[in-house]
């Protein structure tokens, strides 16, 4: 099996496959709580993106390269539903636009296509203020609060404690692309069913996710009350209801 590709199991109905794509700094195994209930809708896999988890930690760090990685997996799995969070949503859009024969539908969670002008410097100070190495997994959970369970999946133990599996310098380079270009041409290439799930308190530019829904024929858009950038973890029942309804309607 491809390094970083996780098979969560699920319904073996022919032709029904779901591939989960994580966000920046995440990894495939962060999807376990969602994968548990997705299994009734098909065989569920999740992929470590390049530079994350057990995937190769080598560039190039372009959206097109990430989409090629996803397409290579789908060539083996067959046409699939892509469910992506943040960066993973962008990679799902790009794969659907360039390889439409491989993508049955897309669920995109909290990503906007035009963030030009934003720089990684705002995030750099925050990330580098983290008390790395963390002294224990309990320390990770305490530091990240409501996102603690998510981040315990994103660290690995070394001699001196727990470190992020991903290299921050690689993550800065990935995110820097988002501040240099927009992805409206990719959005305009999507022709499959699309569900956009947006956090009520998102840090993404206002109105863009609704505009994506307006530009993709038949797309649906949901704002999840009380959530920010992680609706699937911050409002899991609302997220689950929306995704299940979407999948049932395919």
């Amino acid at each position: 099996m491809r390094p970083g590709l996780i098979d969560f199991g699920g319904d073996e109905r022919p032709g029904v496959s779901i591939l989960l794509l994580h966000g920046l700094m995440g990894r495939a195994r962060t999807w376990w709580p969602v994968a548990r209930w997705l299994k009734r809708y098909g065989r569920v896999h999740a992929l470590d993106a390049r530079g994350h988890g057990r995937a190769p930690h080598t560039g190039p760090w372009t959206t097109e390269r990430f989409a090629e990685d996803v397409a290579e997996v789908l060539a083996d799995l067959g046409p699939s539903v892509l469910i992506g969070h943040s960066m993973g949503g962008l990679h799902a859009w790009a794969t659907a636009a360039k390889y439409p024969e491989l993508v049955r539908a897309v669920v995109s969670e909290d990503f906007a296509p035009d963030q030009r002008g934003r720089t990684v410097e705002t995030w750099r100070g925050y990330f580098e203020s983290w008390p790395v190495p963390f002294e224990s997994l309990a320390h990770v959970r305490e530091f990240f609060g409501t996102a603690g369970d998510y981040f315990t999946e994103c660290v690995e133990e070394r001699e001196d404690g727990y470190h992020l599996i991903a290299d921050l310098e690689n993550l800065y380079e990935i995110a820097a692309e988002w501040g240099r270009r927009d992805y409206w041409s990719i959005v305009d290439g999507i022709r499959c069913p699309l569900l956009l799930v947006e956090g009520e308190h998102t840090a993404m530019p206002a109105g863009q996710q609704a505009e994506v829904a307006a530009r993709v024929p038949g797309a649906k858009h949901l704002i999840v009350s009380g959530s920010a950038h992680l609706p699937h973890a911050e409002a899991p029942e609302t997220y689950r209801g929306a995704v299940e309804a979407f999948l049932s309607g395919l």
Side-chain angles (χ1 to χ4, degrees):
M1 182 177 289
R2 183 188 183 97
L5 180 64
I6 306 300
D7 184 352
F8 284 115
D11 195 316
E12 293 286 358
R13 288 176 293 169
V16 180
S17 178
I18 299 169
L19 182 62
L20 301 167
L21 306 174
H22 63 80
L24 189 73
M25 199 175 292
R27 64 180 305 204
R29 293 195 184 277
T30 62
W31 282 112
W32 176 75
V34 172
R36 285 189 298 173
W37 52 261
L38 273 177
K39 292 178 185 181
R40 72 185 65 182
Y41 295 95
R43 188 64 175 261
V44 180
H45 291 80
L47 180 65
D48 283 340
R50 181 177 296 267
H52 298 71
R54 302 305 174 197
H57 284 222
T58 56
W61 308 110
T62 65
T63 297
E64 286 73 18
R65 176 66 260 193
F66 286 110
E68 289 173 18
D69 291 340
V70 175
E72 288 170 6
V73 171
L74 297 183
D76 292 330
L77 298 182
S80 301
V81 175
L82 298 181
I83 298 180
H85 168 243
S86 190
M87 176 187 77
L90 170 61
H91 297 168
W93 295 349
T95 308
K98 187 172 181 180
Y99 307 96
E101 72 283 0
L102 294 176
V103 182
R104 296 183 60 225
V106 168
V107 177
S108 168
E109 181 184 0
D110 214 56
F111 193 85
D114 188 353
Q115 300 178 54
R116 286 176 294 173
R118 294 188 174 191
T119 73
V120 297
E121 295 309 312
T122 303
W123 306 338
R124 187 186 296 268
Y126 169 61
F127 292 156
E128 294 180 359
S129 73
W130 293 358
V132 177
F134 293 95
E135 296 178 48
S136 69
L137 292 178
H139 187 195
V140 176
R141 291 191 183 94
E142 178 183 80
F143 181 80
F144 289 107
T146 57
D149 287 342
Y150 180 92
F151 278 101
T152 58
E153 300 284 0
C154 303
V155 296
E156 62 182 357
E157 186 176 14
R158 301 176 191 167
E159 281 192 23
D160 58 346
Y162 288 86
H163 295 255
L164 283 173
I165 297 176
D167 185 318
L168 281 177
E169 290 304 318
N170 293 342
L171 303 189
Y172 296 147
E173 190 168 345
I174 293 167
E177 184 194 70
W178 309 340
R180 293 194 301 265
R181 59 181 287 198
D182 71 78
Y183 300 97
W184 287 115
S185 62
I186 286 175
V187 167
D188 291 338
I190 300 172
R191 292 293 179 265
C192 64
L194 172 65
L195 169 65
L196 295 114
V197 180
E198 178 177 359
E200 178 186 14
H201 305 297
T202 181
M204 294 290 157
Q208 288 194 21
Q209 294 179 71
E211 185 176 348
V212 172
R215 290 170 74 147
V216 176
K220 301 175 181 178
H221 175 228
L222 172 69
I223 296 178
V224 179
S225 297
S227 69
H229 190 52
L230 276 167
H232 74 266
E234 296 157 346
E237 293 306 315
T238 301
Y239 177 86
R240 176 176 178 173
V243 173
E244 288 190 324
F246 177 71
L247 296 177
S248 297
L250 293 178

